[in-house]
Amino acid sequence: MPTLVVRLPDGTEQEHELSGELKLGRQAGNDLVLTEGGVSRNHARVFDDGGTVFIEDLGSANGTFVDGERIADPTPLTPQSEVVLGDYTLRLKAAAASRSGPRKAAKAAPAPAPEEMPVGSEGSGARATRAVPSLKAKAPAGGAPPRPPRPAKPAGAAPAGAAGGGTGAMLRGLVGPWAGRTYPLKGKVLVGRQPPALVMLEDDSVSRRHAELEATAAGVTVRDLGSANGTLLNGEPLGQEPVPLQSGDQLQFGVVEMSFDAEEAALAVPTRRGSGPVPSRRGTGAGAALPPEEEEAAPPGRKKLLVVGGAVVGLLLVAAVVKAALPGPAPVGDSPEQGGTPVDPVEQVQTLLSECRSYASSELGAPNWARAEEVCTQALDLDPIHPEANTLIRRIKLEKEAYEHYSAGDKLLQRLKPDEALEAFSKIPKESEYFRRGKGKAREAAEQVTKRALDDCKRYLSNAQWTAAVPRCEQFMAVWCQAQPRESLNPPLGYTLKLEGRLRRNEWRPKDTLFVRFLSARQRLDPNAQPWVCPVTEIIGPDEATADPRAVVDAAVKKRFTHKLMQAAMMDYWAGRGSEALATLQKLRGNYEAAPFHAQTDELIKIMSTVDQLFKGGQTYLAADDPEKAAEPFREALQVDKELMLDLAESKPSFYRRNILQDMADKSYQRGREWADRQDRRRACRVWKLGFGFYAGNPDLNKASAYCSNLASDAFKAAGGCPNLAEVLDYAVKGDGIAEKVDEKKAEWKCP
């Protein structure tokens, strides 16, 4: 009976016998529940059909990969197949060959490796030749082995790898997560921290484009590409000129160490079972056995070489037997993300985002905000303008900070420090999910604060101890005023505050006696003190009876669309998961039983794709600090988004609309500041007005627009002719009335 071996994200493995069918997914009820990142609720199924094991993807969001290829139909599996589902790796274990295979491979003669061999596979002979340089480099007892020098090359010998044009040349990782991984070298190979690098080393010490290796008929060369931390060859720094490599050379990219192996399959010496070593074609290779008469006639140097070669081969055979006999760690296959095979950046970003969402989810317990931020940052390194990644990282940073304030406030409240606890709770942003959770605890802390502060306030006021009374009363009033209407705290428009004596016309006094006594005490201490203002502390303020925006959108979508897949796609679009929305609609489009919905589905696909592409185009311009060019695609995206969301576009804006408005406002303010620093106020105001036209809720942009409006007013007063009015319009802000005055002045002066 075949067995499915599942390697978990922590490296451990589980075996599951396959009798009929196994359903895999994150949701309870599957035969095999996989709860880590990247796995859909019902992800895939593995089944036996006529003695052949197949795997079928069940419409998962992140896909199912067999040998690095995403599958769309049931795909047969063999013991050599490697299946990737999110963070899990699966392989098929055949019962008949589960134990004897590795032992026979150790004894059998290693054959030259074909080009189609998976990178890093066991039993190929490549690992045996790797031991030769390390044995030669072994230091005497008691001393640390130095970095191995470049091996000496006989005069007139061709560079390593020349015979096969570098077809068997490869890099092998020596340290960290790259230890044991192999990367084939064919043509030009880029080494770096992110795509398009084929040798991708995700480490901060490695530059995005770190080094380049080139395999030609003459051999393999390496050169540095101006990396920040440099490239070392056998401990010596490289420049940007190509340097030839020889087998056994050690390369270091940043802190990542790797070795270079050339033509390993050709270097391995095959042996015959029971017949001793086979002489090499040249007849004089290391380790080849000679007849006794030739051995006696051999020169002393040749005899010494034969002894060393025989010792090396003997050690390797002993190591192979011991490795086969002892249980070692489970072999780790090369997943699409780990091997030398190029990885699709889009798929890699989706995988990282899936993992990020898992860490940020509260479905399986408390979210791990630190880990979520780390994974999301990796996704942003691959695609800096990815909308969902930017949204996630903003939310994660907000929630991470909110969690720290919530935890600090909770601990302080338990330690009977309500003053400090209330201060910590007050720092929780209203947009955070911890705001609702911290509201009850904040009110508990506020009650403890006000109870003690109220007693002190009344006692100090009664004894005319103004210096002691004001801070204690103010502490009480800061909590008390949160539930008071504005007209109870501030005088109406046109009235002045009067705390003592008889009120006259246009004079006002609060109705709360204690509040009046507090204001009088402040005035006694400092007659020139500014009017007291109630500090805004939303977390202890009254509850707002507002509906959940998602619930409102969900209700409207269900009323408008009857098919569940269309409803799910609309909610994904509203939340900014455009790729998932399109995948859901494509699934509906492929279901011919749902033909009546296909026309509407095609229209949704067209609209969502248009918004997504325009959004990405605008974000590209913003990334280049050019909000003026971003304005055109963003305006079109907002118009198309409104056609889709209808009445909800303004009241319950989608992810795309919210980010377009806010990002344009932020970037326009920053860009305008740059022009203002260059003393180009007209250009600065044009950019600020552009952002203000998209979103008027940015406080910095509001101040900048008010500044431009003042400049417009001054320029209008100083205008002496028609040419000066153009400058006035560059400063004028929509709604300040300056543009209307300019039109009147143009008509008066008869300007063209």
Side-chain angles (χ1 to χ4, degrees), residues 298-344:
R302 181 69 172 276
K303 290 184 179 180
K304 184 176 181 180
L305 179 61
L306 292 176
V307 171
V308 173
V312 170
V313 173
L315 286 174
L316 294 177
L317 290 175
V318 171
V321 172
V322 172
K323 183 177 181 180
L326 295 178
V332 179
D334 293 326
S335 66
E337 294 82 10
Q338 294 174 338
T341 306
V343 181
D344 183 4

Side-chain angles (χ1 to χ4, degrees), residues 4-25:
L4 189 67
V5 181
V6 181
R7 188 171 78 247
L8 306 181
D10 61 2
T12 60
E13 291 190 350
Q14 297 178 356
E15 295 187 359
H16 302 269
E17 291 187 354
L18 182 63
S19 57
E21 179 182 88
L22 275 177
K23 289 186 177 180
L24 297 78

Side-chain angles (χ1 to χ4, degrees), residues 630-706:
E632 182 178 352
F634 276 162
R635 286 195 184 102
E636 187 176 352
L638 292 176
Q639 181 179 354
V640 179
D641 175 81
K642 192 169 185 177
E643 295 175 4
L644 180 61
M645 299 303 298
L646 301 179
D647 296 337
L648 295 174
E650 302 293 342
S651 60
K652 301 294 183 288
S654 67
F655 159 86
Y656 294 99
R657 179 173 291 272
R658 292 196 310 271
N659 280 269
I660 286 174
L661 301 182
Q662 295 174 7
D663 292 350
M664 271 297 290
D666 293 341
K667 187 60 71 174
S668 296
Y669 175 72
Q670 296 171 10
R671 187 61 174 165
R673 282 293 303 271
E674 294 175 6
W675 288 114
D677 292 341
R678 299 177 190 178
Q679 304 303 317
D680 191 342
R681 298 187 298 178
R682 291 181 64 177
R683 183 68 180 273
C685 283
R686 286 203 298 269
V687 178
W688 282 334
K689 286 162 48 182
L690 176 67
F692 186 76
F694 274 86
Y695 181 59
N698 186 301
D700 294 327
L701 203 55
N702 288 345
K703 295 178 182 178
S705 299

Side-chain angles (χ1 to χ4, degrees), residues 22-63:
L22 275 177
K23 289 186 177 180
L24 297 78
R26 191 176 76 243
Q27 189 174 10
N30 287 285
D31 302 313
L32 186 54
V33 179
L34 309 176
T35 58
E36 297 293 336
V39 180
S40 298
R41 291 181 177 86
N42 297 295
H43 197 108
R45 72 183 185 109
V46 180
F47 59 94
D48 190 340
D49 187 3
T52 303
V53 178
F54 290 83
I55 185 167
E56 179 184 9
D57 186 80
L58 299 178
S60 62
N62 297 310

Side-chain angles (χ1 to χ4, degrees), residues 109-113 124-129 132 262-271 278 280 286 316:
S124 63
R127 297 185 181 274
T129 57
V132 176
E263 297 289 339
E264 292 194 344
L267 293 175
V269 181
T271 58
V278 176
S280 67
L316 294 177

Side-chain angles (χ1 to χ4, degrees), residues 227-408:
S227 60
N229 295 308
T231 303
L232 302 181
L233 172 60
N234 298 321
E236 297 296 327
L238 292 177
Q240 298 192 23
E241 293 296 323
V243 176
L245 293 175
Q246 295 182 17
S247 187
D249 281 349
Q250 285 197 2
L251 291 165
Q252 183 172 333
F253 309 101
V255 300
V256 180
E257 297 182 5
M258 312 189 85
S259 68
F260 170 72
D261 298 327
E263 297 289 339
E264 292 194 344
L267 293 175
V269 181
T271 58
R272 296 178 181 172
R273 186 180 300 178
S275 60
V278 176
S280 67
R281 292 184 181 181
R282 299 177 185 175
T284 58
L290 296 178
E293 60 275 10
E294 294 186 20
E295 185 176 355
E296 292 178 2
R302 181 69 172 276
K303 290 184 179 180
K304 184 176 181 180
L305 179 61
L306 292 176
V307 171
V308 173
V312 170
V313 173
L315 286 174
L316 294 177
L317 290 175
V318 171
V321 172
V322 172
K323 183 177 181 180
L326 295 178
V332 179
D334 293 326
S335 66
E337 294 82 10
Q338 294 174 338
T341 306
V343 181
D344 183 4
V346 177
E347 296 293 340
Q348 193 171 6
V349 169
Q350 289 300 322
T351 300
L352 290 170
L353 289 182
S354 179
E355 184 179 356
C356 179
R357 287 193 294 267
S358 297
Y359 284 119
S361 173
S362 57
E363 295 179 359
L364 301 176
N368 188 340
W369 299 117
R371 183 67 177 133
E373 182 179 12
E374 177 184 347
V375 175
C376 240
T377 302
Q378 295 177 15
L380 281 176
D381 288 341
L382 296 176
D383 188 355
I385 64 171
H386 193 281
E388 185 181 357
N390 280 283
T391 302
L392 275 173
I393 199 68
R394 281 196 291 265
R395 172 179 167 253
I396 287 168
K397 289 181 178 179
L398 181 141
E399 297 292 357
K400 181 182 177 183
E401 182 180 356
Y403 174 72
E404 292 173 355
H405 294 317
Y406 175 83
S407 300

